[in-house]
Amino acid sequence: MFCWLNRLYRGLSSPTGRTTQLIWGSLSRSLVLSSRRRIPEFSSFVARTNTCGELRSSHLGQEVTLFGWIQYRRQNTFLVLRDFHGLIQLVIPQDEKMPTGEIEIKVKTAELLNSCKKLPFEIKDFVKKTEALRLQYRYLDLRSFQMQYNLRLRSQMVMKMREYLCNLHGFVDIETPTLFKKTPGGAKEFVVPSREPGKFYSLPQSPQQFKQLLMVGGLDRYFQVARCYRDEGSRPDRQPEFTQIDIEMSFVDQTGIQSLIEGLLQYSWPRDKDPVVVPFPSMTFAEALATYGTDKPDTRFGMKIVDISDVFRNTEVRFLQDVLSKPKGTVKAIRIPEGAKYLKRKDIESIRKVAADHFNQEVLPVFLKASRHWNSPVAEFILEKQSLELIRLMELQEEDVILLTAGEHRKACSLLGKLRLECADLLEARGVVLRDPALFSFLWVVDFPLFLPKEENPGELESAHHPFTAPHPSDIQLLYTEPEKVRSQHYDLVLNGSEIGGGSIRIHDAELQRYILATLLKEDVKLLSHLLQALDYGAPPHGGIALGLDRLICLVTGAPSIRDVIAFPKSFRGYDLMSNAPDSIPPEELKPYHIRVSWPADSEAEKSSLDHPHHPES
Amino acid sequence: MFCWLNRLYRGLSSPTGRTTQLIWGSLSRSLVLSSRRRIPEFSSFVARTNTCGELRSSHLGQEVTLFGWIQYRRQNTFLVLRDFHGLIQLVIPQDEKMPTGEIEIKVKTAELLNSCKKLPFEIKDFVKKTEALRLQYRYLDLRSFQMQYNLRLRSQMVMKMREYLCNLHGFVDIETPTLFKKTPGGAKEFVVPSREPGKFYSLPQSPQQFKQLLMVGGLDRYFQVARCYRDEGSRPDRQPEFTQIDIEMSFVDQTGIQSLIEGLLQYSWPRDKDPVVVPFPSMTFAEALATYGTDKPDTRFGMKIVDISDVFRNTEVRFLQDVLSKPKGTVKAIRIPEGAKYLKRKDIESIRKVAADHFNQEVLPVFLKASRHWNSPVAEFILEKQSLELIRLMELQEEDVILLTAGEHRKACSLLGKLRLECADLLEARGVVLRDPALFSFLWVVDFPLFLPKEENPGELESAHHPFTAPHPSDIQLLYTEPEKVRSQHYDLVLNGSEIGGGSIRIHDAELQRYILATLLKEDVKLLSHLLQALDYGAPPHGGIALGLDRLICLVTGAPSIRDVIAFPKSFRGYDLMSNAPDSIPPEELKPYHIRVSWPADSEAEKSSLDHPHHPES
């Protein structure tokens, strides 16, 4: 039974410790969290005098007024009352029984404020429920300890960030529009029809243009906790709307932004976690690729990629020979510590399958036996000298396994980067502790290329990040000769192998911006004329960054999905399973917007199937 | 000429006071504003050592690095450098000339960071420009003193509100979705097509449903600085997107919410304004209507409506007789102090025209002459006794004018309420000070009716505010007998005659909510099934409020329009004049959303006229 109780008076009595101890135990994390500043007054403006979690033996003898849910009751004598700060035992006085426990409340009057139907699931963390059910009854799921903890921590962390930016460093919190103009090539932008025929707003993916315009407007330290939109259809751990900590500064360089962010995270970091150590290490994009096979390395553990091309210059292994004879051919490997002990035959098979399926590439597993002999299809072709050199270069121990591949540098690195993470998962599944769950390993990745070859037409260039990114000062001349070699002033912030932020120093020179847009990227500059014009009117040098708030909080709380740090998330197909959005709209309500639905040709059957009230997702 | 200067070294020298004094004078308001807390470090993370406004004689002899715009230069010797904290004079050393002034900077090295084309208008407050031009070049307009002041004050005030809610009172800042389901009857909601044929999200007008669901979810003190959307087509002082301070609490009553808001405004109020006095006065809706003819009375001045029906019970004035013989007939008047002195014949004519045009009602002006005789078309029919009674009741002085009307109570009050404001404007245009510009007059308006007769069908009821508003506890029984007489637990907050907030205690009983929705309002409850279901699962009593942030900041800063407190506002037709949004979108980009534009039948010509890049607005 769930119901509301009101007006419970007069604290009293001795030990029933069991219950209250248990509660305080389970809430200790959030208590630690709020202890660093003045504890907020949770009972201001309401009739209650205390929250359920707050009472201690020091309150003995006081009259209190509590509100909460009945957690359970026994023999109409004992009640446990719950709110989101804790639980407390109540005694409805009947005789002079003397219960055990530190404190309990002797009830004077009680009022039932609401009753509760049978719940679709119990609000207990150990009761497993599907995510679809949790999302359908999100307002009940929010009562769980974990969701309360995640959302309260998120609020507190964002508040600390605001204090740091606004109060300590003079940033101005400015709201920018979300009904804007479609960005050229912004294929992932939702459109919003207006009342003028054929005219649409667009929901921007970030306040990028606005924040640069604010710098031109002299609001020289801007930030915003900005709602952003991205329509990617179905993507497992993405949301159609998400939040970023959006920052821009004038007269700043890359080092300045990096120090700002290091300070921001240090200042806002929850007290119940290990403190953030600054400055964060930094690595170039080239080094990240060569060592970790990715631009977002998980630096909590080793198993780095080693280039072993030189070992095999004179090899008799045919496929290594073939690769090394090509101009960009390399041989690379990663070491899996004690892999011989932990990896099973089927693991190795699945690893080789990943390589073949996703990278169209061969991986050779090589086991170093206790006998210091190799166990591998190619073992017989490895010379003694090569073997010793390999052991030295890769610091191999007995029972280690190396995974070896050969191919073009970038491709070989990407493959081994992926296998490194797969093997880490495998080892951890077997009980090896590779990544300390209490460890937060931050890393700056810098010196990205400014341009990449277009996927659909590798002869042309596209921006590696966005067209407003400034080129690296040392590479300016290359813009006019070999633009594909120009490095940018873009920087990414990586935490435990996830990208949690990215930004850049921007172009503030209108001519340079025009050259890059029109000549190198072949974009229609008309669509960005307002921005180009703004740069012409004395734009200051400026740069900024955006942190992905949902992802950051997800990593901080250790939540399995970003949906666990958002109060009302969409499912991975973009549905709100509680209200059933998006939903059909009668044609007459579309009329003011001058749009009509184009039903797919074969869709009469489909159309009727869409009238189902719910779209269950597995 | 505008350009950037970098690396200006070594402070020095004696009086050039004129320039620096002038600057500090003009910036004093924002200085006062930030002095109440630790002054933020505006030069952290960048190469500058000081802002231009910060240097005083105490800095004499120091080396400084400044960044800024060149405000003007003289003979290549003196430069005035500007940023958004002030201005400072620089001397490029040439000989040992001794200039006047308190401090100036002797330049060691200077670097030009960007140049500036001729501006479309000068960034000086006294240079008048049309609003269309200001919006087109918003990034330049933002450099004005007034826009800098407005946006910085807004940021600081919101920050203080967050401190009050989060740090002092335990509120949790929770983001709610803006891609949601269309509200039943939500005709003013923008729609957002999804990738599923015929399915649309909707941009909600407020987080109303979410905040109530959060209460059910046990997040019992919620707030959000929430972006909201309302599509009203063209409305002069409205924006398609706007911001509200959105608050909801569990276990609270009307008094609790009111104390919270009074404390919030007191805590966040700018230091350069007179402090907010609490508690705010409160008035019932009935009283506001009877005394001020509106639900948002401007209580900075008197001129209240007086019911003078009793004076004229036995009148010979025919039209008063007629009205008073009807069951709800009344005679009402307002007194215009010294109206005879300030109002001209054409003013009175325009007042009578307003009454006739907008209210279809007659207004009689009556002048009390110095001779204590009336000057009015009906003067001869007013008996001596009536005349004395009128003078007593309305506290009339010589040279006063009364505006008298007769009719049904509500209609007569509305008319006089409107004329009261018109006359106040007229008097102030003639130099009378009625409303002190430094005065902030807050007022709670309470005890609104829960329902109103439907405009299109007065036999049916609609919610006066929204269907989740709880009925007044004393009127519960009337719900089942005379629902039109039920008062609600809704409250409005009014400041200087503008509604700046509104809220209510909500219905937390599912049965009552169902009865009101289905039986009284005849709504389709299926569309709100998730909310009704949530109330069934032990919803706590709860209530909340939303403050209109744009309007509030507008009143605090004394800005002429809410567009002056928003960084990038839309024009009153909903256009972004800078980027030209909303804009056309190629049909292929609409395809993924399964929509087509329905061009109006007669629109081939129209269509081509829509291709113009700008929509000038007067």
Side-chain angles (χ1 to χ4, degrees):
Chain A
M1 187 193 109
F2 276 70
C3 63
W4 290 97
L5 272 183
N6 187 7
R7 294 198 200 125
L8 304 169
Y9 290 109
R10 203 183 302 281
L12 157 123
S13 276
S14 50
T16 46
R18 200 182 48 79
T19 314
T20 42
Q21 286 310 323
L22 200 135
I23 293 33
W24 283 104
S26 76
L27 277 180
S28 60
R29 276 209 283 173
S30 59
L31 286 175
V32 171
L33 192 68
S34 53
S35 70
R36 67 179 131 168
R37 56 167 158 252
R38 188 187 145 177
I39 292 175
E41 177 47 91
F42 286 107
S43 296
S44 45
F45 314 114
V46 295
R48 75 178 170 207
T49 57
N50 300 83
T51 60
C52 296
E54 187 183 336
L55 296 172
R56 295 296 174 89
S57 54
S58 59
H59 294 88
L60 271 179
Q62 288 182 19
E63 281 207 6
V64 297
T65 305
L66 303 179
F67 292 90
W69 283 264
I70 297 178
Q71 180 80 352
Y72 56 77
R73 63 173 176 186
R74 183 150 46 98
Q75 298 157 344
N76 278 327
T77 306
F78 298 102
L79 287 174
V80 172
L81 193 68
R82 184 193 83 223
D83 66 15
F84 294 90
H85 301 274
L87 296 95
I88 184 81
Q89 174 151 317
L90 318 179
V91 191
I92 297 169
Q94 309 203 335
D95 53 32
E96 287 309 303
K97 230 187 309 187
M98 190 64 113
T100 55
E102 196 195 338
I103 190 166
E104 60 190 13
I105 289 166
K106 188 165 164 184
V107 173
K108 207 161 157 188
T109 64
E111 185 186 336
L112 197 61
L113 295 171
N114 208 348
S115 61
C116 182
K117 288 202 173 160
K118 184 164 166 30
L119 296 177
F121 51 82
E122 273 199 273
I123 317 292
K124 284 176 181 159
D125 289 341
F126 60 82
V127 175
K128 291 269 169 269
K129 44 252 162 195
T130 65
E131 192 174 21
L133 191 69
R134 287 177 55 202
L135 290 180
Q136 189 188 340
Y137 296 99
R138 187 58 159 186
Y139 44 87
L140 297 178
D141 186 46
L142 290 177
R143 293 181 185 171
S144 68
F145 167 74
Q146 200 56 55
M147 284 305 302
Q148 291 273 328
Y149 176 78
N150 293 354
L151 294 180
R152 288 173 191 268
L153 178 137
R154 178 178 177 136
S155 166
Q156 289 177 18
M157 215 172 145
V158 170
M159 187 65 201
K160 294 293 283 180
M161 289 184 182
R162 292 178 180 281
E163 287 171 17
Y164 177 85
L165 292 167
C166 240
N167 296 354
L168 302 187
H169 295 289
F171 280 75
V172 188
D173 179 5
I174 297 176
E175 299 173 68
T176 58
T178 56
L179 293 172
F180 191 46
K181 181 195 177 89
K182 203 160 165 74
T183 316
K188 291 171 177 173
E189 287 177 6
F190 287 101
V191 296
V192 182
S194 78
R195 284 172 189 257
E196 188 173 338
K199 299 272 173 161
F200 294 81
Y201 298 106
S202 164
L203 300 175
Q205 290 190 46
S206 89
Q208 184 63 34
Q209 292 187 43
F210 291 112
K211 65 190 203 171
Q212 294 194 241
L213 292 169
L214 287 171
M215 295 306 108
V216 180
L219 286 148
D220 74 350
R221 301 185 152 214
Y222 145 89
F223 89 101
Q224 182 182 197
V225 180
R227 189 69 59 89
C228 303
Y229 299 86
R230 190 166 43 204
D231 178 22
E232 301 185 293
S234 304
R235 286 283 293 271
D237 212 23
R238 290 283 180 91
Q239 288 283 310
E241 49 186 318
F242 59 98
T243 302
Q244 64 188 38
I245 308 288
D246 198 50
I247 290 173
E248 195 80 6
M249 288 173 85
S250 291
F251 311 114
V252 75
D253 61 12
Q254 183 164 321
T255 324
I257 298 281
Q258 290 177 348
S259 307
L260 168 79
I261 294 299
E262 288 162 0
L264 176 79
L265 288 167
Q266 195 172 43
Y267 186 87
S268 62
W269 206 247
R271 275 283 173 93
D272 64 342
K273 314 284 177 203
D274 290 340
V276 169
V277 179
V278 301
F280 301 155
S282 184
M283 191 181 283
T284 65
F285 168 74
E287 189 185 347
L289 183 70
T291 318
Y292 296 97
T294 173
D295 59 357
K296 35 179 192 282
D298 188 340
T299 47
R300 286 175 298 177
F301 67 104
M303 293 169 55
K304 296 179 187 174
I305 301 169
V306 181
D307 190 306
I308 50 172
S309 308
D310 286 346
V311 178
F312 291 99
R313 288 284 169 220
N314 304 311
T315 186
E316 288 169 30
V317 184
R318 172 61 62 89
F319 99 99
L320 299 181
Q321 258 181 12
D322 285 354
V323 168
L324 285 173
S325 67
K326 287 176 193 154
K328 287 185 175 176
T330 61
V331 183
K332 312 257 184 193
I334 56 172
R335 176 181 79 94
I336 302 159
E338 298 186 275
K341 202 159 119 193
Y342 295 111
L343 295 189
K344 298 180 179 151
R345 170 173 295 273
K346 74 169 184 3
D347 297 332
I348 296 292
E349 270 162 22
S350 105
I351 284 168
R352 298 186 72 166
K353 195 164 169 348
V354 167
D357 291 356
H358 296 287
F359 294 83
N360 192 22
Q361 193 134 346
E362 184 70 21
V363 167
L364 282 179
V366 186
F367 290 71
L368 183 59
K369 286 293 189 187
S371 56
R372 298 187 72 79
H373 275 83
W374 302 109
N375 178 1
S376 168
V378 295
E380 53 179 313
F381 301 105
I382 302 180
L383 307 176
E384 174 72 14
K385 197 182 128 200
Q386 288 171 338
S387 170
L388 289 174
E389 183 61 10
L390 212 53
I391 289 171
R392 192 188 62 79
L393 256 182
M394 302 201 64
E395 300 176 358
L396 293 177
Q397 310 270 330
E398 284 164 16
E399 301 290 324
D400 283 355
V401 169
I402 65 176
L403 297 178
L404 182 153
T405 192
E408 183 266 321
H409 172 72
R410 180 181 290 248
K411 209 173 157 189
C413 290
S414 297
L415 166 59
L416 289 179
K418 172 112 171 100
L419 297 184
R420 174 177 174 267
L421 294 176
E422 298 250 325
C423 291
D425 287 345
L426 284 170
L427 291 179
E428 290 192 335
R430 308 275 141 76
V432 182
V433 180
L434 268 184
R435 295 168 288 199
D436 176 358
L439 190 68
F440 291 95
S441 185
F442 289 97
L443 175 74
W444 290 109
V445 180
V446 300
D447 289 358
F448 283 84
L450 185 56
F451 304 108
L452 294 175
K454 262 192 190 165
E455 261 185 56
E456 60 276 34
N457 178 4
E460 289 185 8
L461 294 177
E462 63 184 9
S463 296
H465 293 94
H466 59 57
F468 315 116
T469 310
H472 196 290
S474 325
D475 296 356
I476 294 280
Q477 282 317 309
L478 289 175
L479 269 178
Y480 306 94
T481 53
E482 296 171 283
E484 68 284 357
K485 290 197 176 161
V486 174
R487 289 165 302 162
S488 71
Q489 293 194 63
H490 179 93
Y491 29 84
D492 267 354
L493 181 59
V494 174
L495 170 56
N496 293 354
S498 287
E499 183 197 321
I500 58 162
S504 58
I505 302 303
R506 328 294 184 188
I507 298 166
H508 67 277
D509 180 273
E511 275 321 300
L512 178 60
Q513 183 70 75
R514 244 177 232 114
Y515 173 75
I516 288 181
L517 280 171
T519 310
L520 296 181
L521 298 172
K522 310 201 188 314
E523 293 274 2
D524 179 359
V525 291
K526 264 214 316 269
L527 293 163
L528 287 168
S529 58
H530 52 285
L531 192 76
L532 287 164
Q533 203 167 28
L535 295 183
D536 263 335
Y537 291 126
H542 60 287
I545 193 166
L547 300 181
L549 183 63
D550 307 298
R551 171 72 50 215
L552 174 64
I553 302 289
C554 186
L555 290 168
V556 172
T557 58
S561 148
I562 58 167
R563 292 185 293 280
D564 292 311
V565 298
I566 296 173
F568 298 100
K570 303 283 189 296
S571 74
F572 71 89
R573 281 188 191 154
Y575 290 111
D576 178 322
L577 299 183
M578 180 183 70
S579 74
N580 188 33
D583 205 357
S584 311
I585 285 187
E588 64 270 20
E589 295 191 17
L590 296 178
K591 250 191 190 155
Y593 300 109
H594 309 280
I595 56 167
R596 260 191 316 218
V597 176
S598 320
W599 295 100
D602 55 346
S603 69
E604 279 319 293
E606 203 175 311
K607 196 173 155 185
S608 68
S609 82
L610 294 173
D611 294 337
H612 284 304
H614 284 289
H615 299 263
E617 306 191 10
S618 68
Chain B
M1 187 194 112
F2 276 69
C3 64
W4 291 98
L5 271 184
N6 187 8
R7 295 202 198 122
L8 303 168
Y9 290 109
R10 203 184 302 279
L12 156 124
S13 277
S14 51
T16 44
R18 200 182 47 78
T19 314
T20 43
Q21 286 309 322
L22 201 135
I23 294 33
W24 283 103
S26 77
L27 277 179
S28 61
R29 275 210 284 174
S30 59
L31 286 175
V32 171
L33 193 69
S34 53
S35 71
R36 66 180 131 167
R37 58 168 157 251
R38 186 185 146 178
I39 292 175
E41 177 49 87
F42 286 106
S43 297
S44 44
F45 313 115
V46 293
R48 76 179 169 206
T49 58
N50 299 84
T51 61
C52 296
E54 188 183 336
L55 296 173
R56 295 297 175 87
S57 53
S58 60
H59 294 87
L60 270 180
Q62 288 182 20
E63 279 207 8
V64 297
T65 304
L66 304 179
F67 292 90
W69 282 262
I70 297 178
Q71 181 80 353
Y72 56 78
R73 64 173 175 184
R74 184 151 43 98
Q75 298 158 344
N76 278 327
T77 306
F78 297 103
L79 287 174
V80 172
L81 193 68
R82 184 193 83 222
D83 64 16
F84 294 91
H85 301 275
L87 295 95
I88 184 81
Q89 175 151 319
L90 318 180
V91 191
I92 298 169
Q94 310 206 333
D95 53 33
E96 286 310 306
K97 226 183 323 184
M98 190 61 117
T100 55
E102 197 195 337
I103 189 166
E104 60 190 14
I105 289 165
K106 189 167 164 184
V107 172
K108 207 162 156 189
T109 65
E111 185 186 335
L112 196 62
L113 296 169
N114 208 348
S115 61
C116 181
K117 289 203 174 162
K118 185 166 165 30
L119 297 176
F121 51 82
E122 273 199 90
I123 316 292
K124 284 175 180 161
D125 289 344
F126 59 83
V127 175
K128 290 270 169 268
K129 44 250 162 197
T130 64
E131 191 175 21
L133 192 68
R134 288 178 54 202
L135 290 180
Q136 190 188 338
Y137 295 99
R138 188 55 160 188
Y139 45 86
L140 296 179
D141 187 46
L142 290 176
R143 293 181 186 171
S144 69
F145 167 75
Q146 200 56 55
M147 284 306 302
Q148 291 273 329
Y149 175 77
N150 293 353
L151 294 180
R152 288 172 190 266
L153 179 137
R154 179 178 177 136
S155 167
Q156 289 178 17
M157 212 171 148
V158 170
M159 187 65 202
K160 295 293 283 180
M161 289 183 180
R162 293 179 179 280
E163 286 171 18
Y164 176 86
L165 291 167
C166 241
N167 296 353
L168 302 187
H169 295 288
F171 280 75
V172 188
D173 179 5
I174 298 177
E175 298 173 70
T176 58
T178 57
L179 293 173
F180 191 46
K181 182 194 174 92
K182 205 162 165 72
T183 315
K188 291 171 178 172
E189 288 177 5
F190 287 101
V191 297
V192 182
S194 78
R195 285 175 187 254
E196 189 173 336
K199 299 273 172 160
F200 294 81
Y201 298 106
S202 165
L203 299 175
Q205 291 190 45
S206 88
Q208 184 63 35
Q209 291 187 43
F210 291 111
K211 65 190 204 171
Q212 294 195 236
L213 292 169
L214 287 171
M215 296 304 108
V216 179
L219 285 149
D220 74 350
R221 299 182 154 215
Y222 145 88
F223 89 101
Q224 182 182 196
V225 180
R227 188 71 57 91
C228 303
Y229 300 85
R230 190 166 44 204
D231 177 21
E232 301 186 293
S234 305
R235 286 281 292 272
D237 212 22
R238 291 282 180 93
Q239 288 284 311
E241 49 187 319
F242 58 98
T243 303
Q244 64 189 37
I245 308 287
D246 199 51
I247 290 173
E248 195 80 7
M249 288 174 84
S250 292
F251 311 115
V252 75
D253 61 14
Q254 183 163 323
T255 324
I257 297 281
Q258 289 177 348
S259 306
L260 169 79
I261 294 299
E262 289 162 359
L264 175 79
L265 287 166
Q266 195 172 44
Y267 186 86
S268 62
W269 207 246
R271 275 284 172 91
D272 63 341
K273 314 284 177 201
D274 290 340
V276 169
V277 179
V278 302
F280 301 154
S282 183
M283 190 181 284
T284 65
F285 168 73
E287 190 185 347
L289 183 70
T291 318
Y292 296 96
T294 173
D295 59 357
K296 37 179 190 285
D298 187 340
T299 47
R300 285 175 298 178
F301 68 104
M303 293 170 54
K304 296 177 186 174
I305 301 168
V306 181
D307 190 306
I308 50 171
S309 307
D310 287 347
V311 178
F312 291 100
R313 287 287 168 220
N314 304 310
T315 187
E316 285 167 30
V317 184
R318 173 59 64 87
F319 100 99
L320 299 180
Q321 258 181 15
D322 287 354
V323 168
L324 286 173
S325 67
K326 287 174 193 153
K328 288 186 173 176
T330 61
V331 183
K332 312 258 185 194
I334 56 172
R335 177 181 78 94
I336 302 158
E338 298 186 276
K341 203 161 116 194
Y342 294 109
L343 296 188
K344 298 180 178 151
R345 170 173 295 273
K346 74 169 184 5
D347 298 332
I348 296 293
E349 269 161 24
S350 105
I351 284 167
R352 298 186 73 167
K353 194 165 170 346
V354 167
D357 291 356
H358 296 287
F359 293 84
N360 192 22
Q361 193 136 345
E362 184 70 19
V363 168
L364 281 179
V366 186
F367 289 72
L368 184 59
K369 286 294 188 184
S371 57
R372 297 187 73 80
H373 275 82
W374 301 110
N375 178 0
S376 168
V378 296
E380 54 179 316
F381 301 106
I382 302 180
L383 307 176
E384 174 71 14
K385 196 182 129 203
Q386 287 170 340
S387 169
L388 287 174
E389 183 61 10
L390 213 51
I391 288 171
R392 191 188 63 77
L393 256 182
M394 301 201 65
E395 302 177 358
L396 293 177
Q397 310 270 327
E398 283 163 19
E399 301 291 325
D400 284 356
V401 169
I402 66 176
L403 297 179
L404 181 154
T405 192
E408 183 266 320
H409 172 72
R410 179 180 289 247
K411 209 171 154 188
C413 289
S414 296
L415 166 59
L416 290 179
K418 171 112 172 99
L419 296 185
R420 175 178 173 266
L421 295 176
E422 299 250 325
C423 291
D425 288 345
L426 283 170
L427 291 180
E428 290 192 336
R430 308 275 142 76
V432 182
V433 180
L434 269 183
R435 293 167 290 197
D436 177 356
L439 190 68
F440 292 94
S441 186
F442 289 97
L443 175 75
W444 291 109
V445 178
V446 300
D447 289 358
F448 283 83
L450 185 56
F451 305 109
L452 294 176
K454 262 192 192 166
E455 261 186 54
E456 61 275 35
N457 178 4
E460 290 184 8
L461 295 177
E462 63 184 8
S463 296
H465 294 93
H466 58 58
F468 315 116
T469 311
H472 196 289
S474 326
D475 296 354
I476 294 280
Q477 282 318 309
L478 289 175
L479 269 178
Y480 306 94
T481 53
E482 297 170 283
E484 68 283 359
K485 290 198 176 160
V486 175
R487 289 165 302 163
S488 72
Q489 293 193 64
H490 179 94
Y491 30 83
D492 268 353
L493 180 59
V494 175
L495 171 56
N496 294 354
S498 287
E499 183 197 321
I500 58 160
S504 59
I505 302 303
R506 328 294 184 186
I507 298 167
H508 67 276
D509 181 274
E511 274 322 299
L512 178 60
Q513 184 69 76
R514 244 178 231 115
Y515 174 75
I516 287 182
L517 279 171
T519 310
L520 296 182
L521 297 173
K522 311 200 189 311
E523 292 275 2
D524 179 1
V525 292
K526 264 213 316 269
L527 292 164
L528 286 169
S529 58
H530 52 286
L531 191 76
L532 287 164
Q533 204 169 26
L535 295 183
D536 262 335
Y537 291 127
H542 61 286
I545 194 166
L547 300 182
L549 183 64
D550 307 297
R551 171 73 50 218
L552 174 64
I553 302 289
C554 186
L555 290 168
V556 172
T557 57
S561 148
I562 59 167
R563 292 185 294 280
D564 292 311
V565 299
I566 296 173
F568 298 99
K570 304 283 189 296
S571 75
F572 71 87
R573 280 188 192 153
Y575 290 111
D576 179 321
L577 299 183
M578 181 182 69
S579 74
N580 189 34
D583 205 355
S584 311
I585 285 187
E588 64 271 19
E589 295 191 16
L590 297 177
K591 249 190 191 154
Y593 300 109
H594 309 279
I595 55 167
R596 257 189 319 215
V597 176
S598 319
W599 295 100
D602 55 345
S603 69
E604 280 318 296
E606 204 175 312
K607 196 173 156 186
S608 69
S609 83
L610 293 173
D611 293 336
H612 284 303
H614 285 289
H615 299 264
E617 306 191 10
S618 69

